[in-house]
Amino acid sequence: MSFFSQAPVEIEIKFDGEEARQIIDTKDKDKNTHHLAPLYGADETVKGSVIIRPRDGRKVEHTGIKVQFIGAIEFKEDKSQPNEFISWARELAAPGEVRHAETYTFEFKNVEKQFESYNGLSVKLRYFVRVTMFRRMNDIVREKDLWVYQYKPEPEGTAMVRMDVGIEDCMHIECEYSKSNFHLKDVIIGRIYFTLVRLKLKHMELSLIRKESVGVPPNNTSQTETVVRFEIMDGAPVKGETIPIRLFLSGFDLVPTMRDVNKKFSVRTYLSFVLVDDAGRRYFKQREIGIYRSSEE
């Protein structure tokens, strides 16, 4: 744990039972840096302690010490404008001075954490505890993140999905897979059936694509990233040929579907089929699939 080296005090934040919790390792894709945060449930109480140690045994005066529990949506292009959708505060100490190490406890009981934590290409949804020591000159601030999972039951309406890929009088392919909603450790089972093939196809690819949208239409912006891409066919198929699909999701960096989170951003996953002919032309079809985090995982 690092401290603010220029501050006259060291501030350390500890969560109760942190050592027994699952630790989530997240990565900032733009900076290629990792962050570790303990995992919490959606309605779980957040409590712990704050340890304040004066440096070099000096006396440090302050005008109050406050602890906050904050849920915020941060935009990586504009970090000066975070959107706080949760902000609870507690006073730890009245104005005074700190002469030696002091420990303060805090508790935010059954705080509702309505969204899942997320660290994407252009947006981040954070939950964190912030401690502020107010001073006449410069306030001293320390933050510590926690990570939140949202567990959900299997959505209704998960019937088999069918898609057609075709060019009139040249090619017609039927794609189908077992259902439209999958949990993060599920398996996509399906098949691709060729009913008409008059093109010289070279190979076929299957991809999982994540699309992150920020803002509200028509002023929204989107970024996409390919989670996984692999070849499922090499060579020219014939009419009547069937290619089975069996895709295990547990090995990929997927996140649950997020729709209009606090009217700020959305995250969706698409299953994409791409066919390439011997001239290099690409024919594709994609469809959104729902991803959710099951409590049975």
Side-chain angles (χ1 to χ4, degrees):
M1 181 174 294
S2 62
F3 302 97
F4 291 92
S5 58
Q6 302 302 316
V9 297
E10 297 175 344
I11 300 178
E12 181 181 2
I13 303 171
K14 292 183 176 180
F15 296 127
D16 285 3
E18 182 176 351
E19 63 282 352
R21 291 184 178 274
Q22 180 180 347
I23 301 298
I24 305 299
D25 183 355
T26 64
K27 179 180 178 181
D28 279 338
K29 297 179 176 62
D30 54 344
K31 298 179 181 178
N32 200 29
T33 56
H34 289 260
H35 303 277
L36 302 178
L39 179 63
Y40 277 76
D43 298 315
E44 195 171 352
T45 293
V46 177
K47 61 181 179 178
S49 58
V50 177
I51 305 168
I52 299 180
R53 304 182 184 92
R55 294 182 184 274
D56 305 321
R58 72 177 79 173
K59 177 182 71 174
V60 179
E61 296 182 348
H62 62 84
T63 58
I65 304 172
K66 180 175 71 173
V67 61
Q68 295 170 276
F69 179 81
I70 297 173
I73 298 172
E74 298 178 353
F75 304 100
K76 296 184 179 181
E77 295 296 323
D78 185 8
K79 295 185 178 180
S80 64
Q81 296 293 329
N83 176 263
E84 294 185 359
F85 55 89
I86 295 176
S87 182
W88 289 17
R90 302 280 188 273
E91 184 181 274
L92 294 180
E97 59 185 37
V98 178
R99 294 176 176 269
H100 50 77
E102 298 280 359
T103 299
Y104 307 91
T105 61
F106 64 86
E107 180 176 7
F108 296 99
K109 193 170 183 179
N110 300 326
V111 58
E112 181 185 2
K113 300 173 281 297
Q114 62 189 112
F115 308 119
E116 177 154 330
S117 298
Y118 176 69
N119 189 8
L121 294 171
S122 58
V123 64
K124 177 187 294 186
L125 193 150
R126 296 176 61 203
Y127 294 95
F128 58 97
V129 169
R130 175 189 291 160
V131 174
T132 305
M133 174 183 276
F134 297 98
R135 305 184 73 227
R136 289 187 175 87
M137 295 295 292
N138 297 314
D139 297 338
I140 303 170
V141 181
R142 178 77 168 94
E143 296 177 353
K144 184 167 183 175
D145 285 68
L146 54 97
W147 201 260
V148 173
Y149 278 169
Q150 287 275 354
Y151 297 100
K152 296 183 179 180
E154 181 177 3
E156 297 180 359
T158 57
M160 180 176 290
V161 176
R162 290 183 173 86
M163 295 189 301
D164 291 335
V165 181
I167 301 174
E168 188 174 0
D169 298 327
C170 294
M171 178 182 65
H172 186 250
I173 299 172
E174 296 177 355
C175 307
E176 64 179 37
Y177 44 98
S178 53
K179 53 187 179 180
S180 57
N181 293 288
F182 302 86
H183 61 75
L184 289 168
K185 294 187 178 181
D186 217 332
V187 183
I188 298 177
I189 299 173
R191 71 182 187 108
I192 299 171
Y193 181 67
F194 294 84
T195 60
L196 177 64
V197 184
R198 291 178 180 170
L199 292 175
K200 293 182 179 180
L201 298 176
K202 187 176 180 180
H203 67 267
M204 177 184 287
E205 298 171 353
L206 177 63
S207 302
L208 287 173
I209 297 172
R210 177 158 57 241
K211 181 177 180 180
E212 179 183 289
S213 300
V214 176
V216 179
N219 299 316
N220 61 319
T221 59
S222 298
Q223 293 192 63
T224 61
E225 59 179 319
T226 300
V227 178
V228 62
R229 177 192 292 120
F230 57 93
E231 190 174 278
I232 59 174
M233 182 195 75
D234 185 17
V238 297
K239 178 180 178 180
E241 189 164 2
T242 299
I243 298 176
I245 299 171
R246 194 171 184 86
L247 179 60
F248 292 85
L249 300 181
S250 58
F252 306 126
D253 181 26
L254 293 171
V255 299
T257 299
M258 301 180 179
R259 301 184 189 277
D260 302 322
V261 177
N262 211 37
K263 297 183 179 180
K264 298 297 179 181
F265 74 97
S266 299
V267 183
R268 294 175 168 87
T269 302
Y270 294 84
L271 188 63
S272 176
F273 298 93
V274 180
L275 293 111
V276 183
D277 66 17
D278 60 355
R281 291 185 292 261
R282 301 170 69 87
Y283 312 91
F284 68 93
K285 185 82 170 184
Q286 69 179 25
R287 179 160 178 166
E288 181 182 355
I289 59 173
I291 304 292
Y292 66 99
R293 189 180 301 280
S294 171
S295 59
E296 299 178 359
E297 293 176 19

Coordinates of all heavy atoms in Angstrom, one line a residue, residues 19-70:
E19 N -8.7 -9.7 4.3 CA -7.8 -10.8 3.9 C -8.5 -12.1 3.5 O -7.9 -13.0 2.9 CB -6.8 -11.1 5.1 CG -7.4 -11.6 6.4 CD -8.1 -10.4 7.2 OE1 -7.9 -9.3 6.8 OE2 -8.8 -10.8 8.2
A20 N -9.8 -12.2 4.0 CA -10.5 -13.5 3.6 C -11.4 -13.3 2.4 O -12.0 -14.3 2.0 CB -11.4 -13.8 4.8
R21 N -11.4 -12.1 1.8 CA -12.2 -11.9 0.6 C -11.5 -12.2 -0.7 O -10.3 -12.2 -0.7 CB -12.7 -10.4 0.6 CG -13.6 -10.0 1.6 CD -14.1 -8.6 1.5 NE -15.1 -8.3 2.5 CZ -16.4 -8.5 2.4 NH1 -16.9 -9.0 1.3 NH2 -17.2 -8.2 3.3
Q22 N -12.3 -12.5 -1.7 CA -11.7 -12.7 -3.0 C -11.2 -11.3 -3.5 O -11.9 -10.3 -3.3 CB -12.8 -13.2 -4.0 CG -12.3 -13.4 -5.4 CD -13.4 -13.9 -6.4 OE1 -14.4 -14.3 -5.9 NE2 -13.1 -13.9 -7.6
I23 N -10.0 -11.3 -4.1 CA -9.4 -10.1 -4.6 C -9.5 -10.1 -6.1 O -9.1 -11.1 -6.8 CB -7.9 -10.0 -4.2 CG1 -7.8 -10.1 -2.6 CG2 -7.3 -8.8 -4.7 CD1 -8.5 -8.9 -1.9
I24 N -10.1 -9.0 -6.6 CA -10.3 -8.9 -8.1 C -9.1 -8.0 -8.6 O -8.8 -6.9 -8.1 CB -11.6 -8.2 -8.4 CG1 -12.8 -9.0 -7.7 CG2 -11.8 -8.1 -9.9 CD1 -12.9 -10.4 -8.2
D25 N -8.5 -8.6 -9.7 CA -7.4 -7.9 -10.3 C -7.9 -7.3 -11.6 O -8.4 -8.0 -12.5 CB -6.3 -8.9 -10.7 CG -5.1 -8.3 -11.3 OD1 -5.1 -7.1 -11.6 OD2 -4.1 -9.0 -11.5
T26 N -8.0 -6.0 -11.7 CA -8.5 -5.3 -12.8 C -7.3 -4.5 -13.5 O -6.3 -4.2 -12.9 CB -9.6 -4.3 -12.5 OG1 -9.0 -3.2 -11.6 CG2 -10.7 -5.0 -11.7
K27 N -7.5 -4.3 -14.8 CA -6.5 -3.7 -15.6 C -7.0 -2.5 -16.4 O -8.1 -2.5 -16.9 CB -6.0 -4.7 -16.7 CG -4.9 -4.2 -17.6 CD -4.5 -5.3 -18.6 CE -3.5 -4.8 -19.5 NZ -3.1 -5.9 -20.5
D28 N -6.3 -1.4 -16.3 CA -6.6 -0.2 -17.1 C -6.0 -0.4 -18.5 O -4.8 -0.5 -18.7 CB -6.0 1.1 -16.5 CG -6.8 1.6 -15.4 OD1 -8.0 1.3 -15.3 OD2 -6.3 2.3 -14.5
K29 N -6.9 -0.6 -19.5 CA -6.4 -0.9 -20.8 C -5.6 0.2 -21.5 O -4.7 -0.1 -22.3 CB -7.6 -1.3 -21.7 CG -8.4 -2.5 -21.2 CD -9.6 -2.8 -22.1 CE -10.3 -4.1 -21.7 NZ -10.8 -4.0 -20.3
D30 N -5.9 1.4 -21.1 CA -5.1 2.5 -21.7 C -3.7 2.7 -21.1 O -2.8 3.1 -21.8 CB -5.9 3.8 -21.6 CG -6.3 4.1 -20.1 OD1 -6.3 3.2 -19.3 OD2 -6.7 5.3 -19.9
K31 N -3.6 2.3 -19.8 CA -2.3 2.5 -19.2 C -1.5 1.2 -18.9 O -0.4 1.2 -18.5 CB -2.5 3.2 -17.8 CG -3.1 4.6 -17.9 CD -3.2 5.2 -16.6 CE -3.9 6.6 -16.7 NZ -4.1 7.2 -15.3
N32 N -2.2 0.1 -19.2 CA -1.6 -1.3 -19.0 C -1.2 -1.4 -17.5 O -0.1 -2.0 -17.2 CB -0.5 -1.5 -19.9 CG -0.2 -3.0 -20.1 OD1 -1.1 -3.9 -19.9 ND2 1.1 -3.3 -20.3
T33 N -2.0 -0.9 -16.6 CA -1.7 -1.0 -15.2 C -2.8 -1.9 -14.5 O -3.9 -1.9 -14.9 CB -1.6 0.3 -14.5 OG1 -2.9 1.0 -14.7 CG2 -0.5 1.2 -15.0
H34 N -2.4 -2.5 -13.4 CA -3.3 -3.4 -12.7 C -3.7 -2.8 -11.3 O -2.9 -2.1 -10.7 CB -2.7 -4.8 -12.5 CG -2.6 -5.6 -13.7 ND1 -3.5 -6.6 -14.0 CD2 -1.7 -5.6 -14.7 CE1 -3.1 -7.1 -15.2 NE2 -2.0 -6.5 -15.6
H35 N -4.9 -3.1 -10.9 CA -5.4 -2.7 -9.6 C -6.0 -3.9 -8.9 O -6.8 -4.6 -9.5 CB -6.4 -1.5 -9.7 CG -5.9 -0.3 -10.5 ND1 -5.1 0.6 -9.9 CD2 -6.0 0.0 -11.8 CE1 -4.8 1.5 -10.8 NE2 -5.3 1.2 -11.9
L36 N -5.8 -4.0 -7.6 CA -6.4 -5.0 -6.8 C -7.5 -4.4 -5.9 O -7.2 -3.4 -5.2 CB -5.3 -5.7 -5.9 CG -4.2 -6.4 -6.7 CD1 -3.2 -7.0 -5.7 CD2 -4.7 -7.4 -7.7
A37 N -8.6 -5.1 -5.8 CA -9.7 -4.6 -4.9 C -10.5 -5.8 -4.4 O -10.7 -6.8 -5.1 CB -10.6 -3.7 -5.7
P38 N -10.9 -5.7 -3.1 CA -11.6 -6.8 -2.5 C -13.1 -6.9 -3.0 O -13.6 -5.8 -3.3 CB -11.6 -6.5 -1.0 CG -11.4 -5.0 -0.9 CD -10.6 -4.7 -2.1
L39 N -13.6 -8.0 -3.1 CA -15.0 -8.2 -3.7 C -16.1 -8.1 -2.6 O -16.0 -8.7 -1.6 CB -15.1 -9.6 -4.4 CG -16.4 -10.0 -5.0 CD1 -16.7 -9.0 -6.1 CD2 -16.3 -11.4 -5.5
Y40 N -17.1 -7.4 -3.0 CA -18.3 -7.2 -2.1 C -19.6 -7.5 -2.9 O -19.6 -7.4 -4.1 CB -18.4 -5.8 -1.6 CG -17.5 -5.5 -0.4 CD1 -16.2 -5.3 -0.5 CD2 -18.1 -5.4 0.9 CE1 -15.4 -5.1 0.6 CE2 -17.3 -5.1 2.0 CZ -15.9 -5.0 1.8 OH -15.1 -4.7 2.9
G41 N -20.6 -7.9 -2.1 CA -21.9 -8.1 -2.7 C -22.7 -6.8 -2.9 O -22.3 -5.8 -2.3
A42 N -23.8 -6.9 -3.6 CA -24.6 -5.7 -4.0 C -25.2 -5.0 -2.8 O -25.3 -3.8 -2.8 CB -25.7 -6.1 -5.0
D43 N -25.5 -5.7 -1.7 CA -26.2 -5.1 -0.6 C -25.4 -5.2 0.7 O -25.9 -5.0 1.8 CB -27.6 -5.7 -0.3 CG -28.5 -5.5 -1.5 OD1 -28.5 -4.4 -2.0 OD2 -29.2 -6.4 -1.9
E44 N -24.1 -5.5 0.6 CA -23.3 -5.9 1.7 C -22.8 -4.6 2.4 O -22.5 -3.6 1.8 CB -22.1 -6.7 1.3 CG -21.3 -7.4 2.4 CD -20.3 -8.4 1.9 OE1 -20.3 -8.6 0.6 OE2 -19.5 -8.9 2.7
T45 N -22.7 -4.7 3.8 CA -22.2 -3.6 4.6 C -20.7 -3.4 4.3 O -20.0 -4.4 4.2 CB -22.4 -3.9 6.1 OG1 -23.9 -3.9 6.3 CG2 -21.8 -2.9 7.0
V46 N -20.3 -2.2 4.3 CA -18.9 -1.9 4.1 C -18.4 -1.2 5.4 O -18.9 -0.1 5.7 CB -18.7 -0.9 2.9 CG1 -17.2 -0.6 2.7 CG2 -19.2 -1.6 1.6
K47 N -17.5 -1.9 6.1 CA -16.9 -1.3 7.3 C -15.5 -1.6 7.4 O -14.9 -2.5 6.7 CB -17.7 -1.8 8.5 CG -17.6 -3.3 8.7 CD -18.4 -3.7 10.0 CE -18.4 -5.2 10.2 NZ -19.1 -5.5 11.5
G48 N -14.8 -0.8 8.2 CA -13.4 -1.0 8.4 C -12.8 0.1 9.3 O -13.5 0.6 10.2
S49 N -11.5 0.4 9.1 CA -10.9 1.3 10.0 C -9.9 2.2 9.2 O -9.5 1.9 8.1 CB -10.1 0.6 11.1 OG -9.1 -0.3 10.5
V50 N -9.7 3.4 9.7 CA -8.7 4.4 9.2 C -7.7 4.6 10.2 O -7.9 5.0 11.3 CB -9.5 5.7 8.8 CG1 -8.5 6.7 8.3 CG2 -10.6 5.4 7.8
I51 N -6.4 4.5 9.8 CA -5.3 4.7 10.7 C -4.5 5.9 10.1 O -4.1 6.0 9.0 CB -4.3 3.5 10.7 CG1 -5.1 2.2 11.1 CG2 -3.2 3.7 11.7 CD1 -4.4 0.9 10.9
I52 N -4.4 6.9 11.0 CA -3.7 8.1 10.7 C -2.4 8.2 11.5 O -2.5 8.2 12.7 CB -4.6 9.3 10.8 CG1 -5.8 9.2 9.9 CG2 -3.8 10.6 10.5 CD1 -6.8 10.4 10.0
R53 N -1.3 8.3 10.8 CA 0.0 8.4 11.5 C 0.8 9.7 11.2 O 1.1 9.9 10.0 CB 0.9 7.2 11.2 CG 0.3 5.8 11.4 CD 1.3 4.7 11.0 NE 0.7 3.4 11.1 CZ 0.1 2.8 10.1 NH1 0.0 3.3 8.9 NH2 -0.4 1.5 10.3
P54 N 1.0 10.5 12.1 CA 1.9 11.7 11.8 C 3.3 11.3 11.4 O 3.8 10.3 12.0 CB 1.9 12.5 13.1 CG 0.7 11.9 13.9 CD 0.6 10.5 13.5
R55 N 3.9 12.0 10.5 CA 5.2 11.7 10.1 C 6.2 12.4 11.0 O 6.0 13.5 11.5 CB 5.5 12.2 8.7 CG 4.7 11.4 7.6 CD 5.0 11.9 6.2 NE 4.2 11.3 5.2 CZ 4.5 10.1 4.6 NH1 5.6 9.4 5.0 NH2 3.7 9.6 3.7
D56 N 7.3 11.7 11.3 CA 8.4 12.3 12.1 C 8.0 12.7 13.5 O 8.6 13.6 14.1 CB 9.0 13.4 11.4 CG 9.5 13.0 10.0 OD1 10.0 11.9 9.8 OD2 9.3 13.8 9.0
G57 N 6.8 12.1 14.0 CA 6.4 12.5 15.3 C 5.9 13.9 15.5 O 5.7 14.4 16.6
R58 N 5.6 14.6 14.4 CA 5.1 15.9 14.5 C 3.7 16.0 14.8 O 2.9 15.1 14.6 CB 5.4 16.7 13.2 CG 4.5 16.2 12.1 CD 4.8 17.0 10.8 NE 6.0 16.6 10.1 CZ 6.3 17.0 8.9 NH1 5.6 17.9 8.3 NH2 7.4 16.5 8.3
K59 N 3.3 17.2 15.4 CA 1.8 17.5 15.6 C 1.2 18.0 14.3 O 1.8 18.9 13.7 CB 1.7 18.5 16.8 CG 0.3 18.9 17.0 CD 0.3 19.9 18.1 CE 0.8 21.3 17.6 NZ 0.7 22.4 18.6
V60 N 0.0 17.5 14.0 CA -0.6 17.9 12.8 C -2.0 18.4 13.1 O -2.9 17.7 13.7 CB -0.8 16.7 11.8 CG1 -1.5 17.2 10.5 CG2 0.6 16.2 11.4
E61 N -2.3 19.6 12.8 CA -3.6 20.2 13.1 C -4.5 20.0 11.9 O -4.1 20.0 10.7 CB -3.4 21.7 13.4 CG -2.6 22.1 14.6 CD -2.5 23.5 14.9 OE1 -2.9 24.3 14.0 OE2 -2.1 23.9 16.0
H62 N -5.8 19.9 12.2 CA -6.8 19.8 11.1 C -8.1 20.4 11.5 O -8.3 20.7 12.7 CB -7.0 18.3 10.8 CG -7.5 17.5 12.0 ND1 -8.9 17.4 12.3 CD2 -6.9 16.7 12.9 CE1 -9.1 16.7 13.3 NE2 -7.9 16.2 13.7
T63 N -9.0 20.6 10.5 CA -10.3 21.2 10.8 C -11.4 20.2 10.7 O -12.6 20.5 10.5 CB -10.6 22.4 9.9 OG1 -10.5 21.9 8.5 CG2 -9.5 23.5 10.1
G64 N -11.0 18.9 10.8 CA -12.0 17.8 10.8 C -11.5 16.7 9.9 O -10.8 16.9 8.9
I65 N -12.0 15.5 10.1 CA -11.7 14.3 9.3 C -13.0 13.6 8.9 O -13.9 13.3 9.8 CB -10.8 13.3 10.1 CG1 -9.5 14.0 10.5 CG2 -10.5 12.1 9.2 CD1 -8.7 13.1 11.4
K66 N -13.2 13.3 7.7 CA -14.4 12.7 7.1 C -14.1 11.5 6.3 O -13.1 11.4 5.6 CB -15.1 13.8 6.3 CG -16.5 13.3 5.7 CD -17.2 14.4 4.9 CE -16.5 14.8 3.6 NZ -17.3 15.8 2.8
V67 N -15.0 10.5 6.4 CA -15.0 9.3 5.5 C -16.2 9.3 4.7 O -17.3 9.6 5.2 CB -14.8 8.0 6.4 CG1 -16.0 7.8 7.3 CG2 -14.6 6.8 5.5
Q68 N -16.1 8.9 3.4 CA -17.2 8.8 2.5 C -17.2 7.4 1.8 O -16.1 6.9 1.5 CB -17.1 9.9 1.4 CG -17.2 11.3 1.9 CD -16.9 12.3 0.8 OE1 -15.7 12.6 0.6 NE2 -17.9 12.7 0.1
F69 N -18.4 6.9 1.5 CA -18.5 5.8 0.6 C -19.1 6.3 -0.7 O -20.2 7.0 -0.7 CB -19.4 4.7 1.2 CG -19.6 3.5 0.2 CD1 -18.6 2.6 0.2 CD2 -20.7 3.5 -0.6 CE1 -18.7 1.5 -0.7 CE2 -20.8 2.4 -1.5 CZ -19.8 1.4 -1.6
I70 N -18.4 6.1 -1.8 CA -18.8 6.8 -3.1 C -18.9 5.7 -4.2 O -18.1 4.8 -4.3 CB -17.8 7.8 -3.5 CG1 -17.7 9.0 -2.4 CG2 -18.1 8.4 -4.9 CD1 -16.6 10.0 -2.6

